Amino acid sequence: FMGELPIREVRRTHLDAYARWLERLRSPQKGRRYAQGSLRSWWRPALTMMRDAAADVDTPDPTRRVKPPTSGIRNVRERQVLSRQELTEFLGLAKRAYPSWYAEICTIAFSGVRPGGLYELRWKDIDVAGGVIHVRRAHWKGHIGQPKTGDSRELGLPDALAAVLIEHGRQQIDVGPEVD
């Protein structure tokens, strides 16, 4: 935004202009202003860099009293979901192409459990009669601990997923444990 302006020449007016410019930016896909979280994700690193650069060259901090950019748009997480037909096609393909992973794929697709929670599920965490999956643990970077949210939680167990998991359990019993 400021081009190759030397750090010793950066003033509050430059940073203020940058903040106002961020407020005017529009998303190329939807043509609307960015949410507050997006503006913050661009603003904070710029402030840190400017403060550090000013300290490095021993000049006054140009970020002091600069009003950060604001947006009237709340932080929005756009959820992109498959249609019923797309999900059906995807799961059919997954079953044919990756049959050994099919139960995992269905569990994520039907319950929304995160992969870290999925890989720490145990059969005792699945209550078919009650229609519930209990997420009590999660795996992350080689460690087992609390789920990302910090609390155990219950997820709904749709009948279609229950059927897949029951069949998966039967297959595990038929095959027996893996031996190295």
Side-chain angles (χ1 to χ4, degrees):
F1 178 81
M2 289 178 248
E4 295 186 26
L5 186 64
I7 187 62
R8 291 183 189 279
E9 295 179 22
V10 175
R11 302 290 179 257
R12 284 187 12 228
T13 55
H14 295 108
L15 291 170
D16 190 58
Y18 175 61
R20 306 299 71 85
W21 177 77
L22 286 175
E23 290 175 340
R24 292 188 304 272
L25 281 179
R26 303 241 173 223
S27 163
Q29 292 86 11
K30 298 192 177 184
R32 68 176 187 212
R33 290 179 34 213
Y34 286 98
Q36 187 66 38
S38 296
L39 297 183
R40 199 175 310 125
S41 72
W42 298 324
W43 180 248
R44 284 184 181 159
L47 284 186
T48 301
M49 286 188 308
M50 296 307 297
R51 287 176 181 148
D52 289 349
D56 287 347
V57 297
D58 198 27
T59 62
D61 179 3
T63 67
R64 291 181 57 208
R65 296 188 317 269
V66 176
K67 182 182 169 205
T70 59
S71 171
I73 300 172
R74 293 184 308 139
N75 294 331
V76 179
R77 282 189 79 168
E78 293 184 21
R79 303 195 192 291
Q80 296 179 348
V81 298
L82 300 176
S83 68
R84 181 183 300 242
Q85 180 181 347
E86 290 169 332
L87 180 60
T88 300
E89 289 173 13
F90 172 74
L91 292 176
L93 175 64
K95 189 173 189 175
R96 289 187 303 278
Y98 303 101
S100 63
W101 294 355
Y102 184 65
E104 295 172 34
I105 294 168
C106 284
T107 302
I108 289 173
F110 286 120
S111 73
V113 66
R114 294 179 181 95
L118 171 73
Y119 294 122
E120 286 305 317
L121 283 178
R122 304 292 180 256
W123 286 113
K124 65 183 178 184
D125 297 327
I126 300 168
D127 179 1
V128 174
V132 174
I133 298 173
H134 300 276
V135 180
R136 297 181 173 111
R137 294 162 306 284
H139 184 270
W140 187 70
K141 292 188 176 183
H143 301 284
I144 298 170
Q146 291 290 318
K148 182 178 178 183
T149 59
D151 294 320
S152 298
R153 63 186 188 284
E154 294 181 351
L155 304 174
L157 177 62
D159 292 340
L161 177 55
V164 168
L165 292 175
I166 289 168
E167 179 58 28
H168 179 67
R170 285 189 186 125
Q171 288 174 359
Q172 284 189 324
I173 291 169
D174 290 344
V175 172
E178 291 183 16
V179 178
D180 289 337

